[in-house]
Amino acid sequence: MVTCYNDSISQSGVNDTLTANTDALRRELLEKLLELGADCAGVARVEDLRDGPSERLFPNMKDHSRDHFAEEITTGLPHGAVYWEPDARSVLVYAVAHPAERPELDWWCGEIDPPGNKRLLAISREFRAYMAQAHPDIGVYSRRYHVERGGLYLKEAAVAAGLGCIGRNNLLVTPRYGPRVRLRAIDISVALEPTGPNDFDPCADCDAPCLKHCPQGAFDEQIYTPEETGLAHLPGRDGRYFRAACAVQMKVNEDSAQVGLMPEVCDHPEKIIKYCRKCELFCKIGR
Ligand code: B12
C-alpha cells in the first residue's frame, strides 16, 4: 500500500540504528497519512530545516512579488522567517498529486480553496484527530500554508524528507508525479529518523521544456548568483527563476478569470481562477 513515500524505507527496510519504537511510530504515522489520502509522505528533521536556503535568501530577495504577504505576518517574526514550536522535532511532509487530467484540483473558486487544498487540509485535520486519540502525549502542530502565518518552506521540507528534488522549474519534482503535487506539513514533538534526502535528479539530462513555455519568460535570465548571495541553492537551482514575472502571470490569470460554478466547493457562481501551471505541466517526469 505504500505509495511514493520514503522509497528509502520500502527498499532498504528498517534502519537498524533506530529503536524499534521510533521506527514503528514512523511507519505508523506515514502510513496513516497515506491512508487518509496523501499520495506521498516522509519525515524531515527540524534541525535540518532551520535556516535553510529560502529563509536565508528571503531578506535579500530582489524580486519580491505579492508583498501584501508582508501585511499578513502573524508570527511576529521578520518577513520570510520560519516560526518553530519549541518542542517540534520532526516534520511530516505529505503531498497530494495534482495530475494534468484533473486540473480542477488547482482551481480557486473566488477566495475559496481549490479542491486539492481542501483535501490537504482534511488530511491534516483527520491526522490530528487520530493523534489526539492514539498518541495524546505527542505534540502535533499543523503548519499553515503561508510562511508569514506560521508555515514553513514546503519544498525544502519535502526534499529533506526524500519526496523528490528541486527541479530547474523551481518546483519539487517527485519520481512518481513529477512536480504535479501540492504539499503540506505537520510538525510533531518526537524525533524521528528522516526519510531523505536522496540523490534523485531527473533534470540533469533533460532539455527542460518546463522552462521554455513560461508565458512571462520567468526563467530567461539569471537573477541571483552563488557569489553574490553566498548560497548554493537558488531559485530555479541556479538563480534563474524570477518570482516577480511569475506573479505577473498569476495576476493575469486572476484578471481573466470567468465566473462559473464549482459545485464541489461552492454553491454559488464565483470567479474560477486557473493559475498558470506551465512549468509543472511541461515537465516530463511522472507523466
Ligand atoms: C510565495 C509562493 C509563491 C509566490 C512566489 C514563488 C517563489 N518560489 O518565490 C508565487 C505566487 C509567485 C508562486 C507561484 C507558484 N507557486 Co507557489 N508558493 C509560494 C509559497 C507560499 C512560499 C514559497 C516561497 O516564498 N519561497 C521562498 C523563495 C526564497 O524560495 P524559492 O524561490 O522557492 O527558491 C528556493 C528553492 O528553490 C530552494 N532550492 C533550490 N535548489 C535547492 C536544492 C536543495 C537541496 C534545497 C534544499 C533547496 C533548493 O532554494 C531557493 C532559495 O534560494 C509556497 C508554499 C510554502 N509554504 O512553501 C508555494 C509553493 C512553492 N507554490 C507552489 C506552486 C504549485 C506554484 C505555482 C505552480 C502556481 C500554482 N498554480 O499554484 C507557481 C510556480 C512557481 C515556480 N516555478 O516556482 C507549490 C509547489 C509544489 C511543488 N511541486 O513544488 C507550493 C509548495 C505550494 C503548495 N500548495 O504545495 N508561489
Side-chain angles (χ1 to χ4, degrees), residues 54 106 145 152 154-155 169-170 172 179 183 233-235 243:
S54 293
D106 204 43
Y145 174 80
L152 47 67
L154 285 165
K155 293 182 294 178
N169 58 6
N170 199 37
L172 177 83
L183 304 165
H233 301 311
L234 293 169
R243 176 177 171 136

Side-chain angles (χ1 to χ4, degrees), residues 263-278:
E264 66 275 35
V265 290
C266 182
D267 61 2
H268 58 271
E270 274 286 356
K271 271 192 157 192
I272 310 292
I273 305 167
K274 304 174 183 179
Y275 286 119
C276 178
R277 300 177 63 193
K278 292 226 174 1

Side-chain angles (χ1 to χ4, degrees), residues 53-54 57-58 61 65-66 69 106 117 145-147 152-156 159 166 169-172 179 181-183 219 231 233-237 241 243 246-247 250 275-277 279-280:
S54 293
L57 179 67
F58 210 95
M61 277 174 75
S65 62
R66 306 189 139 217
F69 287 142
D106 204 43
N117 273 4
Y145 174 80
H146 290 107
V147 176
L152 47 67
Y153 294 102
L154 285 165
K155 293 182 294 178
E156 285 180 23
V159 170
I166 306 288
N169 58 6
N170 199 37
L171 295 171
L172 177 83
V181 294
R182 297 293 179 269
L183 304 165
F219 300 94
L231 293 172
H233 301 311
L234 293 169
R237 284 192 176 190
Y241 168 69
R243 176 177 171 136
C246 182
M250 297 186 76
Y275 286 119
C276 178
R277 300 177 63 193
C279 53
E280 278 184 89

Side-chain angles (χ1 to χ4, degrees), residues 224-246:
Y224 297 101
T225 64
E227 295 73 30
E228 173 198 26
T229 58
L231 293 172
H233 301 311
L234 293 169
R237 284 192 176 190
D238 60 359
R240 282 186 175 270
Y241 168 69
F242 186 35
R243 176 177 171 136
C246 182

